Amino acid sequence: RAIAIMECLREQNVKAVVVACNTATGIAVDALRARYAEPIVAIEPAVKPAAAQTRSKVVGVLATTQTLAGHKFAKLVSTHAGDVEVLTQACPGLVEQVERGALASESTRSLVEQYLRPLLDKGADTIVLGCTHYPFVSDVIRDVAGPAVNVIDSAGPVARELRRRLQQNGLLAAEPRTGTETFWTTGSPEQVATVIEQLWSRRVDVRPMPVSSEERSASTR
């Protein structure tokens, strides 16, 4: 699936790709980098900065089951956690709440409390958002966690790494200008647009995912 999406993006003449999903990073990023020459920036839970910032020496990670079960996450913890205790919490259903646009609903808050409370009760003073959906409910997470708890994600470091890679490869835009966004989906563009516009806080362009030349070729064999 990641290769098919990459093929579609390359047909749009992208100059770099961010794999903005922790699970896809763990499963597919090595294969993507082996296959394609374009700069590919991966994302991973912000365990390293969390370990540096915690005062209680206890860090909680909210993520999907697949991300927490992957070898890349285990290596990340063993490499960067040091003497910090890393508590993990899978969050079934939270991604679906974001994709429904139910960002501040009572059911979303109930899920956040269910998943966050065990980490807080064990002394976590730093919470890592280990899924790129979770920042959209970060207000609820911060409200449940309280002001003494630091909540962090990987967005800033990933953006800086993307800029560094573009600069390294001579791919930065010639002059500063405002960018635009186009979204593709394998679902209904109309239904997806309703949710994305809520997340993006403005109207967006959502298109059906095109079929790549590789997929077209495979379908005629």
Side-chain angles (χ1 to χ4, degrees):
R1 185 174 189 177
I3 289 171
I5 294 171
M6 184 74 181
E7 289 291 336
C8 291
L9 294 175
R10 293 180 80 235
E11 292 192 0
Q12 306 303 315
N13 298 314
V14 299
K15 59 184 179 182
V17 169
V18 175
V19 182
C21 171
N22 291 274
T23 300
T25 291
I27 293 172
V29 75
D30 290 340
L32 292 175
R33 285 172 170 163
R35 182 168 178 149
Y36 301 106
E38 290 87 355
I40 298 175
V41 178
I43 194 168
E44 61 186 15
V47 170
K48 183 178 180 180
Q53 294 175 34
T54 178
R55 303 175 304 280
S56 66
K57 297 295 184 181
V58 182
V59 166
V61 180
L62 302 176
T64 65
T65 302
Q66 293 90 337
T67 292
L68 296 177
H71 73 278
K72 283 186 177 295
F73 179 76
K75 183 178 180 181
L76 182 69
V77 171
S78 65
T79 301
H80 297 297
D83 61 347
V84 171
E85 182 181 7
V86 177
L87 307 174
T88 61
Q89 177 63 60
C91 303
L94 197 53
V95 164
E96 289 77 7
Q97 289 296 96
V98 173
E99 293 185 351
R100 292 187 191 103
L103 306 184
S105 69
E106 285 302 314
S107 56
T108 296
R109 185 180 182 88
S110 178
L111 279 178
V112 169
E113 290 176 343
Q114 174 186 339
Y115 297 141
L116 196 55
R117 184 54 53 192
L119 306 180
L120 301 177
D121 288 346
K122 292 179 180 177
D125 69 347
T126 304
I127 299 296
V128 174
L129 305 184
C131 171
T132 49
H133 283 69
Y134 298 171
F136 291 110
V137 290
S138 61
D139 287 346
V140 176
I141 292 171
R142 287 187 168 89
D143 188 50
V144 172
V149 175
N150 188 24
V151 178
I152 59 177
D153 66 63
S154 303
V158 168
R160 289 188 290 273
E161 175 63 10
L162 175 60
R163 178 182 173 83
R164 187 190 72 80
R165 294 286 299 278
L166 291 173
Q167 189 169 30
Q168 183 183 62
N169 288 274
L171 297 173
L172 278 177
E175 58 186 36
R177 60 180 184 268
T178 301
T180 60
E181 306 91 21
T182 302
F183 297 84
W184 286 275
T185 177
T186 55
S188 163
E190 293 77 16
Q191 292 178 2
V192 171
T194 299
V195 175
I196 294 181
E197 286 174 359
Q198 181 180 347
L199 302 179
W200 232 246
S201 300
R202 61 177 180 271
R203 292 191 63 81
V204 297
D205 180 16
V206 180
R207 304 176 184 179
M209 175 68 79
V211 178
S212 70
S213 58
E214 183 173 279
E215 289 176 298
R216 286 194 295 272
S217 175
S219 68
T220 59
R221 291 174 192 158

